[in-house]
Amino acid sequence: MALRFYNSIKRAKEDFHPIETGKVGLYTCGPTVYDTAHIGNFRTFMFEDLLKRWLLHLGFAVNHVMNITDVDDKTIKKAQAQGTSLLKITSKYTDLFMDDLNWLKMTPATSYPKATNSIPKIIEMIEILLDKKFAYREDDGSVYFNIKSFPEYGKLTNINLESQKSGSRIVSDEYDKDSPQDFALWKGWKKEDGEVYWDAPWGNGRPGWHIECSAMSIEALGNHFDIHCGGVDNMFPHHENEIAQSQCATDKPFVNVWLHSEFLMVDGGKMSKSLGNFYCVSDLKKIGFSPECIRYQLLSGHYRTKISFSIDKKHEGDKVVRRISNFQSRLNKRNALEFADGLLPESYQKFKKQMNDDLNTPKALAVFFSWMKAVNIKLDQNSITEIELGKAWEFLTVFDSIFGLIQNSIAEIPAEVALLLNKRNKARLENKWNESDNIRDMLKDMGWIVSDTSSGQHIKKTN
RNA sequence: GGCGUCGUACCCAAGUGGUUUAAGGGGCCGGUUUGCAAAACCGUUAUUCGCCGGUUCGAAUCCGGCCGACGCCUCCA
C-alpha cells in the first residue's frame, strides 16, 4: 500500500509524493523557550519523531527542521520578571528541552534554527511583503499583514472571517491595525522591550508572532517543501498566517502536506500551561516513569485522536515495555541475531500497511502484538525454525527502530545492593530459603525488587 | 454565535456498508512454570457498538433527530 497521509488542508487522506524523489523536507513547529515543555507538548514532538522514523525506514532522506522560538512576548516577559537577559532565559529552556527530547529517545532534527538567528531573512520577507502591498506600516514602527489582500486566507481552517466573534484580543490590543484580524509581522519597539530589538528599515523592533516560522522554514527547506507539522492549536492562526505571508512573499505554493496532531487530555480537558493541569517530564521521572512507558502512552493512540494521559496507566505501559523487552531476551537466548539475514516475516507487511495508512499506530501495534504472541507460542513449544528466528529478530529490530519501546538501559546498581544480591545468590545455591527471603525483604525496603528468573536474579528499582 | 471532533467491554483503544456472528493492550479470572514470591508464557473475558427513528438484502459503519463529552475561533503542541 502506498504511503498516505491525512492532509489537513485537503481534509482527506492522499498519497504522498515528495517534491524531489527520495527526499523529504519536513518542518515541525518547535517550542517557544520561555518555560519547561510539558508532556502534552511532547505528544506532538513524539508524533513528528515517529513520522520521521517511518519516513527514514521507508528509505527517504529526511531533512528535518525544528525551530526554536527564542523571542516573543513570553520570553521577554520572563526575562524581565527574573531580572535577567533574554538569552539567559532562552538558552536555559532550550537546554532543558533538548535534555527532555533526548531522555524520551527522540531522534535529533537535522537542524534547530533559532528565531534570533534568522532576523535578516525575516526582514527580507517583510520588505517584500511591504513592496507588494500585502503589508503596511503603522506609526509605532510595527508592520501588519493585510489579510484582505490574500483571498485564500482561511483555507486551512475553513474560517470565514465575517462570521468570527470579536474576541477579547481585539479590545485589549495595544497596537494600531487597519483591520482587527490583521496580524503583526514586526512589532515596533516599546519601553517594556528593553534591550530586545533589532534594526529594520522601517524602525527598531522585533519579529511578530508567525513570521519566524516562515523565514526559518523557507531558509532551510526552500520556498516550497513537503511536510509541515504541528499541534491542532497551531492551525489557527499560526499556520494560516504562515501560509498567507509565505505565499504572498514567494508567489509559490508553500507546503504540500499539513499534518496536525491532536491534544493530550488530562482530567477530561486539554493539558495546558494556562490551565495548570500539566505534567513535565521531570514530574513523571520522579514518580518512576521510564521513557519507554511514556512513549507507549503517547504512541498507542492515533495521532489525530485526543488521548488521555494518566498516571494510572503507568502500569499498562510498564507491562507492555517489559513484555517486549522480555521477548527480545528470549530471542537473544536462541541466538536469533545469528540467523537474521534481512528477511522479514509476513506480519511485517501488515504492519507496514498500517503505518503507511496515515501512521495508524494502534493497528500497527495490534499486528505486532499478535505476531509476538504467535512467536512466543513457538518458542514455548520449541518448534521455531532458525529462519523464523532470524525473521523475528529482524522484525523486532525494525519495530523498535520505529517505536523505541525496548528497555535496554540497566539501572546503576549501588555496591551495597550488588553485595546483597551476591549473598542471596549464594544462599539460594545452598537452599537457604529463609536467608534468601530475608535478603529479598531487605532489598525491598531499600527500594529494589528482586525476581528469580530462569536466567538468575532480576533486579528492578521501585518508584 | 461560527467551525470541527468524538461517544465501542471494568479501563484504554482500533474498526467508517458484507472477509468483524467487533482488533490490540491493561485489568480480572483460569492454566503452565516455580522452594516461595514476583516475573514470564498461554487461555478466557462485548450477539454488541450513547439513545430513538430511517435507508439497505445487509449498518458500529450511511441519513435525520435527541442526549452527552471535547476542541478551535485569544499566546498555546
Side-chain angles (χ1 to χ4, degrees):
Chain A
M1 189 198 202
L3 179 60
R4 286 151 55 83
F5 292 122
Y6 181 89
N7 190 353
S8 302
I9 203 162
K10 302 272 182 66
R11 279 171 271 278
K13 281 187 200 175
E14 61 180 19
D15 287 358
F16 176 67
H17 299 293
I19 295 166
E20 206 178 325
T21 308
K23 292 185 181 177
V24 177
L26 172 67
Y27 187 85
T28 63
C29 279
T32 300
V33 282
Y34 72 103
D35 202 352
T36 321
H38 61 65
I39 197 67
N41 303 130
F42 284 112
R43 183 201 181 174
T44 295
F45 302 133
M46 184 88 69
F47 146 67
E48 292 157 350
D49 184 49
L50 179 93
L51 165 69
K52 177 176 60 180
R53 285 170 182 245
W54 186 245
L55 290 168
L56 288 170
H57 172 69
L58 294 177
F60 290 103
V62 182
N63 187 359
H64 175 201
V65 179
M66 178 183 277
N67 67 291
I68 303 288
T69 296
D70 60 350
V71 56
D72 81 318
D73 293 356
K74 280 194 250 186
T75 45
I76 292 171
K77 210 172 147 191
K78 186 98 174 198
Q80 280 169 353
Q82 307 214 342
T84 184
S85 71
L86 180 68
L87 182 64
K88 277 221 168 105
I89 287 295
T90 57
S91 55
K92 173 186 168 185
Y93 289 110
T94 303
D95 289 350
L96 282 172
F97 176 70
M98 293 300 171
D99 288 348
D100 285 346
L101 278 189
N102 192 259
W103 188 77
L104 288 167
K105 295 164 71 170
M106 311 262 210
T107 56
T110 314
S111 60
Y112 294 98
K114 292 179 178 174
T116 53
N117 287 339
S118 311
I119 304 293
K121 182 70 182 176
I122 290 170
I123 289 175
E124 180 196 320
M125 284 185 75
I126 296 174
E127 281 201 286
I128 294 170
L129 291 169
L130 280 168
D131 284 351
K132 291 183 174 176
K133 311 284 185 218
F134 287 112
Y136 57 91
R137 293 157 68 168
E138 283 294 346
D139 294 341
D140 67 350
S142 295
V143 179
Y144 290 94
F145 185 90
N146 172 15
I147 58 170
K148 291 205 180 75
S149 67
F150 183 58
E152 274 184 54
Y153 193 85
K155 190 181 168 191
L156 175 66
T157 46
N158 193 22
I159 272 174
N160 177 330
L161 293 167
E162 270 68 53
S163 64
Q164 293 307 298
K165 203 181 186 177
S166 295
S168 53
R169 170 182 156 199
I170 290 143
V171 179
S172 65
D173 205 292
E174 296 156 45
Y175 296 84
D176 296 324
K177 294 189 274 190
D178 286 355
S179 161
Q181 282 144 332
D182 287 352
F183 59 91
L185 294 166
W186 189 262
K187 299 175 93 173
W189 182 83
K190 292 188 296 178
K191 238 188 273 168
E192 303 91 277
D193 294 340
E195 305 279 293
V196 182
Y197 65 85
W198 287 264
D199 295 336
W202 51 84
N204 294 343
R206 58 190 167 93
W209 297 293
H210 317 286
I211 189 72
E212 88 274 9
C213 272
S214 288
M216 286 185 270
S217 59
I218 287 173
E219 205 160 42
L221 299 168
N223 290 340
H224 178 206
F225 57 92
D226 297 298
I227 306 177
H228 192 134
C229 301
V232 282
D233 53 342
N234 275 159
M235 290 175 82
F236 191 90
H238 188 58
H239 290 163
E240 201 73 75
N241 292 352
E242 275 187 60
I243 292 171
Q245 66 205 179
S246 302
Q247 296 198 359
C248 290
T250 67
D251 293 320
K252 294 261 168 40
F254 181 42
V255 169
N256 278 357
V257 184
W258 287 89
L259 302 180
H260 292 97
S261 62
E262 255 297 348
F263 283 127
L264 186 67
M265 314 291 280
V266 61
D267 302 326
K270 115 187 204 195
M271 185 182 286
S272 79
K273 286 270 164 170
S274 47
L275 297 171
N277 57 351
F278 58 88
Y279 298 109
C280 295
V281 166
S282 58
D283 299 329
L284 298 176
K285 253 192 222 179
K286 259 181 234 155
I287 51 178
F289 271 88
S290 66
E292 292 81 8
C293 180
I294 295 172
R295 293 184 65 87
Y296 178 75
Q297 266 210 50
L298 297 183
L299 295 175
S300 60
H302 186 84
Y303 78 89
R304 281 190 291 111
T305 71
K306 298 178 181 77
I307 56 170
S308 303
F309 188 84
S310 123
I311 301 293
D312 296 340
K313 283 203 297 204
K314 176 176 176 294
H315 172 84
E316 184 172 342
D318 281 342
K319 173 133 189 189
V320 165
V321 167
R322 216 161 46 220
R323 279 184 60 205
I324 300 173
S325 305
N326 196 266
F327 179 64
Q328 187 192 44
S329 52
R330 287 192 93 182
L331 291 177
N332 203 239
K333 265 176 219 153
R334 304 291 196 95
N335 300 316
L337 174 60
E338 287 175 29
F339 308 116
D341 60 357
L343 289 179
L344 284 155
E346 212 178 301
S347 292
Y348 165 76
Q349 296 305 330
K350 291 184 193 162
F351 175 85
K352 183 178 177 182
K353 188 178 157 193
Q354 297 307 333
M355 290 299 287
N356 272 347
D357 185 12
D358 196 32
L359 302 173
N360 194 334
T361 53
K363 267 201 153 181
L365 283 168
V367 168
F368 176 79
F369 283 125
S370 301
W371 168 81
M372 187 172 85
K373 183 172 287 184
V375 175
N376 265 324
I377 290 172
K378 284 194 174 178
L379 287 167
D380 279 351
Q381 294 172 341
N382 217 353
S383 64
I384 193 160
T385 65
E386 290 182 350
I387 290 173
E388 285 171 326
L389 273 173
K391 284 182 176 178
W393 188 264
E394 294 283 4
F395 187 18
L396 182 63
T397 305
V398 167
F399 173 80
D400 203 53
S401 75
I402 308 301
F403 282 85
L405 296 178
I406 295 179
Q407 211 157 31
N408 29 35
S409 57
I410 294 154
E412 293 267 317
I413 298 171
E416 45 179 355
V417 174
L419 208 75
L420 284 170
L421 277 176
N422 266 332
K423 219 170 146 189
R424 181 166 181 272
N425 192 40
K426 222 175 190 176
R428 286 171 52 75
L429 288 170
E430 293 164 16
N431 291 344
K432 291 178 181 167
W433 308 124
N434 276 341
E435 193 183 337
S436 160
D437 291 350
N438 284 340
I439 295 173
R440 185 164 61 195
D441 289 343
M442 280 169 72
L443 285 167
K444 195 179 174 189
D445 290 341
M446 291 164 68
W448 297 84
I449 289 176
V450 188
S451 325
D452 298 308
T453 70
S454 52
S455 57
Q457 298 182 102
H458 181 82
I459 190 152
K460 196 188 133 199
K461 220 173 154 102
T462 55
N463 295 337

